[in-house]
Amino acid sequence: MAKKNIAFYPGCSSQRKSSAANYLVSVQSMCDKLDIAMNEIPDWNCCGASIGYAEGGELPRVAITARNFALAEKHLPGQDVVSTCAACWLANRETQERLEASPHLRAETNEALGAAGLSYQGNTKARHMVEVLIEDIGYEGLKAPVVKSLEGIKFAGYVGCQTNRPFGIAGESFENPQYLDKMVELAGGEAVPYDQKVTCCGGALAFSEPEKSQKQIRDIVESAYDHGADMIVTPCPLCQANVEVYQSEINKKQGTQFNMPVLYYSQLLTVAYGGTAAEAGLDGQIIRASRLEEIAGK
Amino acid sequence: MTTANQPAAYRNDFLKEVEANVEEGHMVKMCMQCGVCAGSCPLGSHWEHSPQKIFMMIRAGKREEVLTSDAMWMCTSCYNCIARCPRKLPITHIMHGLANYAHRLGLAPKGQPTRDFAVMFWNNLTKTGRVNELKLTLGHYFKDGIGAGIKKGLEMKGVGLGLLKAKRLNPMEILGGHKLQDLAGFHAIVAKAREIEDRRRGLSS
Amino acid sequence: MTGNIATNRTVLVVGGGISGMTAALEAAECGKEVILVEKLPTLGGRTARLYRYFPKMCHPTCGLEINLRRIKGNRKVQVLTMTEVVAVQGRRGDYRVSLRIAPRHVNENCTACGDCAKAVDAEIPDPFEYGLKTTKAAYLPHAMAYPQRYVLDPSIIGTADAEKAQAACKVGAIDVAMAEETVDINVGAVIWATGWKPYDAEKIQPYGYGRFKNVITSLEFERLADPAGPTGGKLLRPSDGKEARNIAFIQCAGSRDENHLRHCSRICCMASLKQTQYVREACPDGSGKSTIYYIDIRAIDRFEDFYQNVQKDPSVSFVKSKVARIAEGEDGNLVLHGVNTEGYHRYAADHDLVVLAVGMEPEAKGIRLPEDIVTDSSGFIEGSKDEGMFGAGAAASPLDVNRATQSATAAALRAIQVIHKTAATETAA
Amino acid sequence: MSEMKTAAYICSGCGIGDKIDVKSLEKIATREGKMALVKSHEFLCGEAGVGMIRNDIDNEGVTHVMIAGCSRRAKTEAFHFPTTAMARANLREGVLWVVAEGDEHDEVRQEMADDYVRMGCAELKKMQVPAGNPATAQNKRILVVGGGFSGMTAALAAAEAGYEAVIVEKTGELGGWAGKSWKRVPGAAPYADPQDTGIADLIARVKSSPKITVHLSSTLAETRGAPGRFAADVATESGSVTTEEVGAIIQANGFTPYDIAKLPELGGGTNPNVVDHAGLEALAIAAKGDTIKRADGKEVKSVVFLQCAGQRDDSGKHLPYCSGHCCATSIKQAMYFKDANPNVDTVVMYQDLRVPGMGEDFYRSAQQKGVVFTKGKAAAVEPAGDGCRVAFRDLILDEDTALEADLVVLATGQVANSGVNIELPDDDPAKAQKTSVLNLAYRQGKDLPILKHGFNDSHFICFPYETRRTGIYAVGPVRRPMDAQQAEEDAVGAALKAIQAVENASLGRAAHPRSGDLSFPKVRLEGCTQCKRCTVECPFGAIDEDEKRFPLFNESRCRRCGTCMGACPVRVISFENYNVDTVGSQIKCLDMPDEFSEKPRILILACENDAYPALDMAGLQRHVYSAFVRAIPVRCLGSTNLVWITDALNSGWDGIIMMGCKKGDDYQCHFVKGSEMAHYRLSKVDDTLKQLGLEPERVVTHEIAITDNVRCAQIINDYVAQIMEIGLSPMKGFG
């Protein structure tokens, strides 16, 4: 029996072979080390993400998220619904909040779920993986399995938006959250001061409004360089993808020479816990984190 | 519901319409015009109307201008406005709601890239229950036609190849990809939800 | 405890700021016995730390001097400093109040000669100056402190410094062994004049107070402007001691904000308008610039005159905007981001000092009040259900000094009414 | 009074004995000061020291005590001998702490201390313990002018504390404007809805109170007397007059709404569908909570409130001030519409929405109810169709636009019913137009002085009830524009002050700021030349003229500032403990060095409220200043009699610094005009200086604030340098 059981909600980007596949791989490795059993919610569906609004409207988005809760309640009773993706977590929490606040909406939602023979009871709790780590395992507990130090590597902790606002991780500030820095430090790395911690990367508008988004991304990467960082670390798959993937685009268009690896906290911890580069999903980096690979290879 | 083209200034008609039909629309009236949302938006410099201004326009009865505005479509869902609003207006949601309402009425700006993308996203995810990232990307590139799509695809070739190499883009998704087992149930839920919501709004699906 | 023995004809006033002093004096000058308790070592409260008042630009210590003289000359007011109310029992006309008196370690013999301060080495952040400078750990709270007696900071008790202080005192005023005391008194009515505290500016995260050195509060700015303050009255910014020349005033810092304080703190608009005149005064060559970022300028009644005059001042500009966020530049300057909502103008404005017009929170918020006391949604005291306890001044509502003293005067009469009725009932019986 | 026995006590503690030769001081007190007893002590304020003094008073017949040690502002609890005359020589804050350290300053430091002991002794011998007024006024009833919300609240507040009250109301009924309102702005949590005005309850309580007498349809024909003994002639409309004897007066006669006819551009007075707040209240009362109808009977479907109508005006045409309550009042009235029918279009057009404190909750509640707020400035209201068209500048949407409404409400301001502006010359037409409210039979005018914009407010921030007529308090909107919640607090506060005034009067005590002072001006009428300066200059209107045109002092109106004493050219006015001689003898008692000593002597006359504490604090903070100055505290610079100046110059003083409070519009003088009067009188000193052949720089005045501790040291040092440059006075040795 694992120390902790969670109803895991990977979300579309963190499925196998999806854009945040390396997140999934590293989270799995990290959870193995921490003895957290990730029980995937059977037949889960997309959360709708924020960008689903235009066509989706309110009730359809609430309903599809409620479907995931209904499935978790049915198949994994008593377990927290844990997401690794910021947007998934946000959609889950917002949906839960609204269903709690409005009996009317809840009735309508259940009417919709009834079409598939499901119902939402409201007895699970939506959480983020980071919350599980900080609140259930604790920084001391996270430090305990560390066998390799990330000494000498400087990280800019980039939290982004939706892991931070409007809910955020309990006890953290909106403007200057500290938990990524703490994770970096417990893994032996150095967290540099960083003033773009909570800047928006453009989110889904990276697709639709690339120019506008890439200006955001440029600020985020540039500031990491300015503060002497070797790598950026983040908890959000969309942040990771946007900030990593578009560096070459920005270089091409604006003549910059960005080449800053962007990693997940779970990758850092996996390496610090003695995991291999593959276990840490480091092969999933477009901009390779060679120094981390070196440590993992030792 | 009033759908007169230009309602009289500062009449409640449009405000009421928004309250009835827009997600969290009942909070529009609570804005006190401090402008913190306008200053907090990362893409704020790109749009014509800030959220606070949109709210004032709603109260002023400027229906057409509001619903055809591109402002709502610039929302990155960063939630800065929500976190800072001193009146706790769920601004992000209201903007989404307005966008959705304008879109459903067919008033939203034509060819607005985020609008197109958002529609595509929803259709993509509802098709199989999960997002097919490859199809979404390709669909987005080819939205303006084959030629533009190829050009765009070539431009972004580096990005795509990078993801492919990193095994973060699965070419096999073109054949279907992830798919729910109970897809029928899922579709039934979506259809039912939409039906309820449209009924509430007096729209027909 | 010395002096008067409290009875159910006595009025207890909690808080020795301007409202508490006023309530106590007004009641005493009507012939009533009053006990005035103050938590800190000196009377004077928040206003003693202000440099000037709006709209006359006069000095708060001027009124303090008069009130202290009234207290010195009126034996019906008994002052207990370093004293807190720990419990209230009983009812209107007959309360039993437990007071806890913290040790000052300096007795009535003290002549305020200052020998102990010279003897002591340890320094502490000066509480009167909001920690903007340090003071010796044996200190006179400020130049007009009343009682005019030194205090030993608890941090040096049990150290060699305390011994040195004791040895230096020629009049035997220092008592290192002084212990906390608890005293129970009987009173007929209680006036809560516990005042206000500035809202914790660190909680307003986008403004970076606590992260950015040159973001300060309006109260700290008062100390900078005061010639007796930590900078000798020069508007020196904390990061590098450079004279600030381009100052931003951010209104509603905490107030009118459901994430912080629901209410409007009333004084902040006028306080900032006043403070722009400090800037003007500090830069006689006209090089000082003030910018006020506001939602609504609330300069009611004849304060409007003051507002109109400031509007005419070319060194002051107004931006209708709640500033969204502040970023720090490399030189310690600050960039304010936001939108002027009058017509929608986006700005990224550079300032060398930012003053947050922080809101008023009831000082009593968070401390345990008697159960009978009713507070409003912001924690301001509306009174007790048995109508024997009253809020006065900024404890009752966010008020400017003038209205606070008015409120305190009213509270004094309400307390007198209780005493009168008690006396009438007892005489009748 | 028993025979005077003087004693001097010199403290050597706080380091005084280390730097100053106390034996020499003792010698001076004995030989020059002629003190009957002279003692020194190393810790005079300690138990033993105080015990020693107490013993001499109790057992040795000492009646007059001179204490040389710390400042008169320090150790007041220890040196508390209420039956004994006392002078304090300030050796600590005034000498030890301000004279530069080092042996080279020993001589001047000692001379300074010597002089202060001389001055203390000289002053003491001219002082008496005030005996108090043997014939104090004892009436403790409170007269309340005005039977509206404020007046009734004040009367009830006094009655509940055991004092009788008399209400004089001009109209035929109690209630005032509040009585003509449908509801009031809420005064307690949750601040969400309009609440009952409470007027009916107030009226019932007033009518049933055995302690309250009410005169309706009545005005004051004349009010004579002083606190504790006012006589008010109450005249009814029918012509009958009753005289009410009262001890204090509360003026609560309220406001008049600004005439909307002065706002024709906004439809005021021309458009029947444009009303003011009062007009809307009438419509609301008629509707009784139902849908509000216009005067023409049409149901109102849309309404616009235009804030600041005729207010906050800088053109000079309308009211320059903000009436403070109107935003909340409009919100309340907008709720009348929304509560009756949520579909009524209700817009409040404001420039700054001013709802301080918990008013923010009220604002939110209105928004919740669907009241629309817009920041805009109305340009014109014109008839349009069946209603009005409001052309305005939309300040947020940045456009000139217009909206239409069935009804427009102009939020006009409050105009105080303050009676006659007594400061205007008698032939000013504006004065003639106004009817007096109080009809005071005072030398200085019939009504309370007006502070600003027609309101009878106090000028003092710390002391909101300090009117310039002792025992008369303005309250409610006549004092300052305000809403009901503030008026309630104000009325209760004013009731306290009225009670305090009658209690003070009954004991012969002064009111604030010299509260408790039992001294009062005594006048030697046989020396009086009837020049009237005292009656004219008294800032508090305390002095009338009797039928023989001699000044008639009304002790219970007096604040003991001494302005009359300063004004008197023949020096016939004095206080027992403060008079021309208490100061004059100090000026003349010095050991004046000769012209060639290079030791100038500079006299400082310092206001005891601000300048003297500032000098003290300069000492406390060890700001060094010249040892050539000698400071004498005065009650107010206004009490400075010119004879002190001429005496000083004649005695060979080399310069005089007068330190008083700020004058002008934002004056900080606690006695209103004292500082200003002193400056005015000093403008005439130049002649004296010329006659004596002295330079004009020999007498200077400075406005000193209490915070000016660094500055006053600087002023002293600069002045001493200046005098050294001019040279010492040639007058030495002639005095």
Side-chain angles (χ1 to χ4, degrees), chain A residues 172-176 195, chain C residues 205-207 211 325 328:
Chain A
E172 290 284 4
S173 86
F174 289 149
E175 304 293 327
N176 190 22
D195 62 8
Chain C
Q205 296 167 16
Y207 296 162
R211 280 187 288 140
R325 71 184 172 95
E328 193 181 36

Side-chain angles (χ1 to χ4, degrees), chain A residues 37-288:
Chain A
M38 293 160 58
N39 310 308
E40 188 168 324
I41 298 171
D43 206 35
W44 57 267
N45 57 259
C46 173
C47 71
S50 307
I51 194 68
Y53 63 80
E55 186 66 25
E58 184 183 15
L59 190 59
R61 280 190 295 141
V62 168
I64 61 172
T65 295
R67 178 179 177 272
N68 291 327
F69 282 114
L71 290 170
E73 283 168 356
K74 192 167 160 187
H75 300 292
L76 301 164
Q79 295 181 20
D80 295 341
V81 172
V82 177
S83 330
T84 45
C85 167
C88 295
W89 174 61
L90 183 62
N92 285 347
R93 279 203 58 171
E94 274 178 356
T95 299
Q96 252 187 348
E97 234 179 43
R98 286 193 205 181
L99 290 173
E100 289 309 310
S102 166
H104 180 72
L105 185 67
R106 192 160 165 163
E108 286 183 343
T109 303
N110 271 326
E111 191 186 338
L113 289 180
L118 291 169
S119 81
Y120 171 80
Q121 304 297 324
N123 48 27
T124 55
K125 194 175 165 201
R127 300 179 75 196
H128 193 281
M129 181 59 80
V130 168
E131 292 181 297
V132 174
L133 296 185
I134 294 171
E135 291 163 11
D136 300 357
I137 311 291
Y139 290 109
E140 282 308 306
L142 289 177
K143 194 173 178 177
V146 171
V147 292
K148 284 181 184 169
S149 170
L150 309 186
E151 199 182 338
I153 309 182
K154 294 179 178 176
F155 294 93
Y158 172 56
V159 179
C161 299
Q162 295 190 345
T163 333
N164 193 42
R165 291 179 300 264
F167 300 108
I169 304 299
E172 290 284 4
S173 86
F174 289 149
E175 304 293 327
N176 190 22
Q178 303 286 325
Y179 63 89
L180 284 177
D181 298 355
K182 288 183 194 160
M183 287 182 181
V184 164
E185 279 159 11
L186 68 88
E190 184 187 335
V192 299
Y194 181 46
D195 62 8
Q196 302 289 327
K197 257 184 189 173
V198 296
T199 300
C200 179
C201 69
L205 272 70
F207 288 89
S208 55
E209 299 276 7
E211 248 94 87
K212 298 175 180 105
S213 302
Q214 283 170 23
K215 191 199 158 291
Q216 300 291 115
I217 295 165
R218 182 182 169 144
D219 287 349
I220 292 162
V221 179
E222 207 158 52
S223 171
Y225 275 110
D226 289 349
H227 289 90
D230 302 315
M231 302 178 193
I232 291 173
V233 57
T234 182
C236 170
L238 191 53
C239 295
Q240 196 283 335
N242 280 349
V243 174
E244 185 190 42
V245 162
Y246 291 103
Q247 287 186 33
S248 61
E249 275 294 300
I250 296 169
N251 288 343
K252 215 168 13 173
K253 285 187 201 152
Q254 306 185 30
T256 51
Q257 296 189 336
F258 291 157
N259 194 34
M260 170 84 64
V262 185
L263 295 127
Y264 296 105
Y265 62 91
S266 48
Q267 296 180 293
L268 266 58
L269 291 178
T270 301
V271 172
Y273 294 165
T276 64
E279 283 170 338
L282 293 180
D283 53 348
Q285 300 308 111
I286 291 170
I287 300 172
R288 302 296 282 231

